[in-house]
Amino acid sequence: MEYNFSEIEKKWQEQWKRSGVYAVSNDSDKPKFYVLDMFPYPSGAGLHVGHPLGYVASDIYARYKRLKGFNVLHPMGYDAFGLPAEQYAIDHGIHPAASTEANINTFRRQMDNIGFSYDWSREVRTCDPHYYKWTQWIFLQLFDSWFNRKTRKAERIGSLVSIFENEGNASYEVPNPKFRVPGKNSSGFSSQDWKGFDEKTRQLILMEYRLAYLAYTDVNWCEALGTVLANDEVINGVSERGGFPVVKKKMRQWSLRITEYAERLLSGLDTIDFSDSLKEIQRNWIGKSLGAEIDFPVKSEKNIVKSMRVFTTRPDTIFGVDFMVVAPEHEMVQDIVAAGSKAAIEEYLLYAQSRSEIERMAEVKRITGCFTGAYAVNPLNGREIPIWISEYVLAGYGTGAIMGVPCGDERDHKFAKHFAIPITNIIGEHYNGEEANPTKDAILQNSDFLNGMLMRDAIDVVIGRVEELGIGKRQINYKMRDAGWSRQRYWGEPFPVIYKDDVPYPIDEKELPLRLPPSDDFKPSGTGEGPLAKVKDWVYINESERRDTNTMPTHAGAAWYFLRYADPHNDNAFADRKALDYWGQVDVYIGGAEHAVAHLLYSRLWTKVLFDLGYLSFEEPFKKLINQGKIGGDSRLVYRIRNTNTFVSAGLKNDYQTDELHVDVTLVNGIELDIEGFRKWRDEYSDAEFIFEDGSTTSESNGKDGRYLCGTRLEKMSKRYFNVVNPDDVVKKYGADTFRMYEMFLGPIEMSKPWDTKGIEGVYRFIRKFWRLFYDEQKGKVWNDAPATNAELKVLNRTIKKVEDDVERFSFNTAVSAFMVCVNELTDLNCHKRAVLEPLLVLLTPFAPHLCEELWQRLGNATTILDQPYPRYDPQYLVESSKDYPVSINGKLRTQINMDLELSQPEVEEIVLSNSIVQKWLEGKPPKKIIYVKNKMVNVVV
RNA sequence: GCCCAGAUGGCGGAAUUGGUAGACGCGUCAGACUCAAAAUCUGGUUUCCGCAAGGAAGUGCAGGUUCGAUUCCUGUUCUGGGCACCA
């Protein structure tokens, strides 16, 4: 009876589909468990073997938890809006809806091949109007909310309106002012003022507070893609997708006020189980810095500006300030420029404007700047210092102005050296005159009342003094910016608003979803408007009302999909509250680290806002996150002698001048090239000649086979390197169960590793060896009902414990190893007993579900194995550790040494001695002192 | 430049709390079966010395703590990832 995986797997996949065994109920007495994969973007290329790595891991864990008696939610869906489908449409004229649908079908077929236990009845697609109805709805909740800094949570905009009506905005400052109230030179207004404002002014003011808001902002404009990109979609000044240049451009864009949540996003990290490196990435992105804002009085010719405010994290260095630098875009620049410096400043401003993002990034170390002719006064010692402008100060961070302390800050130091500004030393010998020293551990000198104080202690002293004098305050800044939320794209969620008199108003909830209008013209307009601008009868509702021509970024649909799975078909709410409360947080979330910043932060933000508004009972979406590593490609290379069609084996390639070419990995067995396959691969190679590793050649070998060896290289799995391994092929050759186990066996789930097809044979052998515990090729059925021996029970129980421990800590590779050890040992013991095999089947089910179902049925069980209780191990079979130390039990040395050691502590059962100690003992030097630890281990002092 | 993670046989990787380093698998070598090959099975496989029993060295490098260190500490090199004028 042979192991016929294709028959078995087909049978059970059909059976599972027919009976719907993986559908899960929202109503159960069992405890819940929520295991989630990051849903895929259904790209045209289909899955390669790297994609299912996380899916296999989550499937094993979900199945394991199910055996453990949990009601497990394990859904899957598609992140189906997005750029590539639209780009594909532009290039090939196929509508994104059609190509997305086709891609989804491919993905689904590939996933079904692998035997996942998803509850497909809960599938979501972000491009489905029934789904994006609620994406739009949540967007409107953000639009209708503001962040109350006093309660530190989102509240309805209505509550802000009543505050304005009663007391103006005196105690609720504008979070990030972009707009000035008419007739006011500060943003403050009274309740009287508010009542006097017209509708449009009121709306503009409220816009300054809304969590989803419109703003004229510098955006990353990518001409080639015809769209705006988020900061995380721009890498080194070019677009992440396509590598096109990106420039700054002012546009009216939707933004999410994520900066208001910076502190909660930061502190929330302490409550969730993400890897340290991932938390670190998020912390860096949020970029919290503690410091102070300090006003410096200004002396300028025009005398318009009374003072300028700087932000510093090092107020302790205030007596080391030698100059001030403001950003070229700083709004006060024109007001302080002296007549004599005007021309030079104008020239510098033009230069700064002309600099593209790429240039600035590429020339980070270049020092530029221009003196304004104005002076600032150090508020603590009255010293006059020059005010410069320079592009190294950013308008968007802090106050857009800094105090220059050359002896303590590297950039300030270079600036001072470059422009020959005299440097004040406040840290004595810690400053060598050559480079700045940013230490906080020096004793201050030349620093007035701070002299003799440790710098890190002086920080608070200066902040205290500044606050006392009313010229500044303690301040926290964040690097993180608000998230740009508009894309000039077709294939995304339309914004559910209508503009009247240029003010956006939410459309009525009853009119949701605002459907994407059909269109066949996806090319960007090039003007900054989205392709939707061309659907004129959709955009212009009437003379005074129009729609937004942008769509939301892909992140929108992905920012809340994990909530939808709780209740995916609900048309009256994004999900029923009872279902949301039942399923709660995602217990385990598995996905790639490439989503560390954007997706995870937006998901956390949306969850927090929905929590604040009372729609959820938890504010962190993901309790635990596992980042699966990438599977790299293991490329194969051949070496063609230049200008010939002769290929030389890898070992001899240095004897010739060769060109290195990638060869399809399917044409290579290990590193040995299939010569005939290669010749057939491409016409140009049909008459290729070869020089083999032993120096013989195709022409002289006369059918005697020399070996042509390929070079190897680890790189990204990609079509252009011909190193893509399709899971379908692997499943076809070895079966889904082998594929699943091998993916896990490759190494730790978090680690990136190359795919090595050769190694799968080992797992395949294991699976067949496991099968042979039940069936013999000649004898047929070999399993029996004899009682198990102690030795067999020991093997079984050790395996139960080991696998359970390993799965709990997501160490699937060692769990697979444990199975291999177990099967090897049972084979050695010639054990085919039901009493051992049955529990083992249950144990193996999460890893190899098809095989285990089949054998379970063949053992005569009428029920499915999927809901069997997970076997419990009996500790009595584990007493003797699997490690055999040169050890003693019950106080007697169990070595061959003829020597007695009566232990004085009778409760000690086991002592552990290192080899060297035993050796010394043998040489007649017994231990002097014995240290008892945990009643078990004994440390010995020789 | 700054931050984070890592470095173990020919290869992927084990070693869970400081306790026999190299589990498990690949590869390879030898053997069995076979006319032969494939498949399968058995045994060996860190390095060096030795016929063997056995001995010595050994977890990137240099130190340290400890009876004992892949594991903890200090310094250093390299690799991978993140951030990059954020004051």
Side-chain angles (χ1 to χ4, degrees), chain A residues 769-780:
Chain A
K769 205 166 178 179
F770 185 75
W771 177 266
R772 284 201 300 272
L773 292 176
F774 296 79
Y775 288 97
D776 185 278
E777 231 170 278
Q778 271 88 46
K779 288 183 270 179

Side-chain angles (χ1 to χ4, degrees), chain A residues 639-647 656-659 661:
Chain A
Y639 305 92
R640 184 173 61 193
I641 299 171
R642 189 156 296 169
N643 302 325
T644 70
N645 208 11
T646 302
F647 293 80
Y656 303 86
Q657 193 180 24
T658 58
D659 294 313
L661 301 168

Side-chain angles (χ1 to χ4, degrees), chain A residues 514-528:
Chain A
L514 174 60
R515 285 172 185 261
L516 193 57
S519 168
D520 290 321
D521 187 359
F522 315 112
K523 288 211 176 68
S525 67
T527 61

Side-chain angles (χ1 to χ4, degrees), chain A residues 661-722:
Chain A
L661 301 168
H662 278 87
V663 58
D664 197 310
V665 289
T666 57
L667 298 174
V668 183
N669 182 21
I671 57 167
E672 189 180 346
L673 184 68
D674 167 10
I675 300 288
E676 286 317 306
F678 181 75
R679 282 177 170 155
K680 279 180 206 147
W681 184 36
R682 292 190 161 183
D683 286 348
E684 51 184 301
Y685 300 143
S686 58
D687 53 354
E689 295 293 327
F690 297 88
I691 300 176
F692 295 121
E693 192 67 18
D694 58 10
S696 65
T697 66
T698 21
S699 45
E700 72 190 32
S701 64
N702 301 328
K704 255 201 127 215
D705 38 7
R707 284 151 47 95
Y708 184 96
L709 304 184
C710 297
T712 65
R713 183 183 299 154
L714 301 179
E715 54 201 342
K716 207 175 133 224
M717 200 168 269
S718 160
K719 269 184 187 167
R720 85 186 140 146
Y721 300 138
F722 303 108

Side-chain angles (χ1 to χ4, degrees), chain A residues 330-593:
Chain A
H330 197 285
E331 53 186 350
M332 294 179 189
V333 168
Q334 295 298 344
D335 295 339
I336 60 169
V337 173
S341 308
K342 183 104 184 148
I345 290 285
E346 285 303 328
E347 194 183 325
Y348 185 76
L349 289 178
L350 264 173
Y351 156 80
Q353 253 170 28
S354 74
R355 297 259 284 162
S356 73
E357 197 72 356
I358 317 167
E359 288 169 327
R360 280 185 72 151
M361 297 251 184
E363 303 168 23
V364 159
K365 292 287 171 260
R366 184 158 160 189
I367 298 156
T368 64
C370 187
F371 178 46
T372 59
Y375 290 85
V377 179
N378 187 328
L380 294 192
N381 64 2
R383 196 178 141 209
E384 279 190 18
I385 51 168
I387 303 177
W388 289 66
I389 62 171
S390 171
E391 59 181 343
Y392 88 89
V393 173
L394 306 176
Y397 182 77
T399 61
I402 61 146
M403 55 184 224
V405 184
C407 76
D409 183 281
E410 195 196 328
R411 294 153 306 172
D412 294 348
H413 190 264
K414 284 190 176 137
F415 192 81
K417 285 279 186 195
H418 189 263
F419 291 108
I421 301 168
I423 294 169
T424 307
N425 181 12
I426 52 168
I427 50 177
E429 62 191 16
H430 293 277
Y431 173 60
N432 61 13
E434 290 307 313
E435 53 186 0
N437 185 347
T439 179
K440 283 183 187 171
D441 295 315
I443 304 290
L444 283 160
Q445 308 176 8
N446 284 334
S447 290
D448 202 287
F449 65 96
L450 300 175
N451 281 337
M453 204 179 284
L454 190 65
M455 296 180 99
R456 62 174 77 246
D457 299 334
I459 294 175
D460 273 349
V461 174
V462 173
I463 295 175
R465 173 66 65 93
V466 160
E467 285 182 334
E468 218 175 276
L469 294 170
I471 54 164
K473 57 170 189 177
R474 189 179 298 276
Q475 178 69 33
I476 296 167
N477 271 331
Y478 302 91
K479 276 192 241 182
M480 184 168 64
R481 309 293 160 79
D482 283 343
W485 211 248
S486 291
R487 295 291 184 275
Q488 288 65 50
R489 284 279 149 182
Y490 172 78
W491 194 231
E493 300 87 351
F495 286 96
V497 294
I498 293 174
Y499 292 87
K500 295 174 195 166
D501 193 17
D502 242 19
V503 175
Y505 292 90
I507 67 173
D508 195 296
E509 209 173 290
K510 288 194 286 291
E511 288 172 35
L512 292 176
L514 174 60
R515 285 172 185 261
L516 193 57
S519 168
D520 290 321
D521 187 359
F522 315 112
K523 288 211 176 68
S525 67
T527 61
E529 281 190 305
L532 285 177
K534 299 176 188 174
V535 193
K536 292 217 159 34
D537 54 346
W538 180 82
V539 175
Y540 298 98
I541 302 162
N542 55 48
E543 273 181 21
S544 59
E545 296 182 328
R546 62 177 181 84
R547 301 190 195 278
D548 201 303
T549 60
N550 295 327
T551 54
M552 296 187 208
T554 322
H555 299 131
W560 73 282
Y561 74 107
F562 43 89
L563 302 172
R564 184 66 173 174
Y565 284 133
D567 188 16
H569 306 296
N570 196 325
D571 220 26
N572 302 310
F574 67 92
D576 178 64
R577 181 62 189 264
K578 237 177 75 194
L580 286 167
D581 284 349
Y582 175 70
W583 291 114
Q585 287 171 287
V586 175
D587 292 284
V588 176
Y589 192 31
I590 299 185

Side-chain angles (χ1 to χ4, degrees), chain A residues 273-287:
Chain A
D273 185 5
F274 289 14
S275 74
D276 288 342
S277 62
L278 198 123
K279 286 185 180 182
E280 199 59 31
I281 292 170
Q282 293 215 352
R283 285 196 191 100
N284 283 343
W285 188 262
I286 295 167

Side-chain angles (χ1 to χ4, degrees), chain A residues 21-23 30 62-63 65-72 842 845 853 856 863-870:
Chain A
V21 276
Y22 297 123
K30 295 180 189 168
R63 286 174 181 273
K65 279 291 176 186
R66 180 174 173 159
L67 294 173
K68 278 284 192 179
F70 289 86
N71 190 33
V72 178
V842 178
T845 299
E853 276 270 32
W856 184 256
T863 56
T864 166
I865 197 170
L866 298 171
D867 287 316
Q868 285 301 307
Y870 196 82

